[in-house]
Amino acid sequence: MSKILHRRITLYFALGLAVLGINVAVSYYHIIRLVHNNALVTHSQEVIITLERMLSTLKDAETGQRGYLLTGSSSYLQPYNSAIAQIYQRVEQLQTLTSDNASQQQRLAILQPLINEKLRELDQTIQLRQTRGLAAAKQVVLSDRGKRVMDQIRGIVAQMQQEEEVLLELRSQQSSTSIQQTTLALSLIAILTLLLLLGVYALITRDLTRRKRAEAALQRSAQRLAILHDIDRAILEAHSSIEIAQSAVARLCYLVPCRQALVLCYHFDAGEAQVLGNSSNGQASLAVGARLPLSSGFSDPVLPNLVLTSGDVSTNGSQSLPTTTVIKDNARPVSLSNGVDLGENCVTLPLRSENTVIGELKLFGSRLVTLTPEHREITQEVANQLAIALEQAQLRERLQQNATELECRVLERTAQLQSANTELEAFGYSVSHDLRAPLRAMQGFTQALMEDYNDVLDGVGQDYARRISKAAQRMDVLIEDLLAYSRLSRAELELKPIDLDSLVSEVIAQLELEIRQRQAQIIVVNPLLPVIAHRVTLVQVLTNLLMNAIKFVASGVQPQIKIWAEARPEARPEAPPHQVRLWVQDNGIGIAPEHQERIFRVFERLHGVETYPGTGIGLAIVRKGVERMGGQVGVESNPSVGSRFWLELPKINTRERL
């Protein structure tokens, strides 16, 4: 309800209440006045009746007196005595009734002595009739004294009655006037109240009508938003431009009265338009996906707002294209093709992406169907959303196409790289393997030279021969490590549950000779937890770690090695551990922090070959092997204190068995 309407209704109610208050006041005033007038009328009537009764009572007394005088029978004295008893009551009533009327009081003051005189005359005649007989009483009667008094009484009573009748008529007129005024006032007030009520009713009815219209508009808006939301959701769920357009036009036909909705997408480079969506109440004239040639009029990619006129239809073999003659702002007609009049109306809206027209939305319908501004607004909204969705779909399709092409190129390059790596690994393996044959020949001939010609060679020649032999041995070990590292990169590792207790014991047994030569002390804290790993690779990893622990110790120091395992806690305290960390601790020379990452690289050496022999590949094999098994490796070390190498591998589940 608007503020103005609320104020008007409030004003009308206030006026209604005021009129009702006036009505009550006027009604009360007129009712009081009417009651007062009626009381006065009744009062005058009572005065007149009392006067008549008083006069009648006096006549009854006179009649009884006369009957007694004529007959001498005491039976006539009974009405006489009764009248005498009542006449004073009438006089007292008159005094009370005429107390508000001074003139009547004056007449009553004259009347009362006359009544007394009349009563004395009657009593005198009765006394004379009883004591001296009828003749004495008759002389008093014949004196006409009683008649004169009675005439005076009648005259005064007549005056009093006349005045009361005048008052009665006046008061009756006042009462009638009061009734008429009251009726008129009540009628006017009732009419005014009725008009106010009609005004309030009109305002409320007007407000209710507006509310109903607003509710209807709100319901239509809600329905429209719901369907537009469905269109948006369908557009978002669609995967291609055709699905988006088909979903949009199918729902648009429910919102806008039309026979057919059509979505065309321009391909200006190809000079054609593609039918992306076609929804019709009957049989669709164009198949979705069909491509149609564009006329020269569509060569301009920026079209203004198009205004439809009458509809045409064109034929193209088995497919027919109902189109309209669209008129640009400069009235230059453009059309898809030539056509004949179908007698339909058509609405054409361009599908714009920023400032470029990418297609159009067409609605066909009978000429009897009229699109309201709301229908046009809905169609424009759908066209705007459809343009955005089609643009996004085209970008998505283009991106998907580029991604597919890129993926194909990546697969092709990966295959080429894998082939090159395979060839390189095969070449390296072949070269490494082939190099060992001449190395063995060098070692054999050097050994034969030292054995067969040791007496011929002088000291320098013998030293050269020993150096050649040692160099050949180092080259052989180096080639062996390279082959091992290469095998780790190429081989497929089948991971299985491994019992670390037995595996560590096996590795220690293999290194028994080196342990005995270096008098190393190895302590294994059992039990070691089982892990998921590749057994051969894990043996090689532990062998390299133990060999380094035995080898890299200061001169004169007995190697002391400790091996133990622990389950690693997870980030979430309630989650069970899934990793096992195996520790290998030694009392060797230690590694400076800046070198701890380098030692896991290939050919990284921290000391000379003469001090600590080796190829520099052992720890690289350790890292490669652990990573191939899905684990990690690291070291904690301090120079001159020792090192703690650790490797983490997946923990065996309770359902897996060794």
Side-chain angles (χ1 to χ4, degrees), residues 32 217 294 427 437 448 468:
I32 295 299
L294 284 174
F427 175 76
I468 292 172

Side-chain angles (χ1 to χ4, degrees), residues 342-406:
L342 184 64
E344 287 188 324
N345 285 333
C346 177
V347 173
T348 301
L349 288 92
L351 302 179
R352 294 180 180 274
S353 174
E354 296 182 351
N355 294 325
T356 303
V357 176
I358 63 173
E360 63 182 25
L361 171 64
K362 288 177 174 294
L363 298 181
F364 299 92
S366 171
R367 284 181 174 175
L368 298 177
V369 176
T370 303
L371 298 184
T372 64
E374 183 180 4
H375 293 151
R376 292 178 181 270
E377 184 179 354
I378 292 173
T379 306
Q380 185 64 57
E381 289 181 355
V382 172
N384 295 338
Q385 291 176 321
L386 190 57
I388 297 173
L390 289 178
E391 183 187 17
Q392 292 179 349
Q394 290 176 354
L395 293 175
R396 187 166 55 247
E397 291 172 356
R398 196 177 306 164
L399 181 62
Q400 183 65 31
Q401 183 179 0
N402 293 336
T404 303
E405 293 177 356
L406 182 60

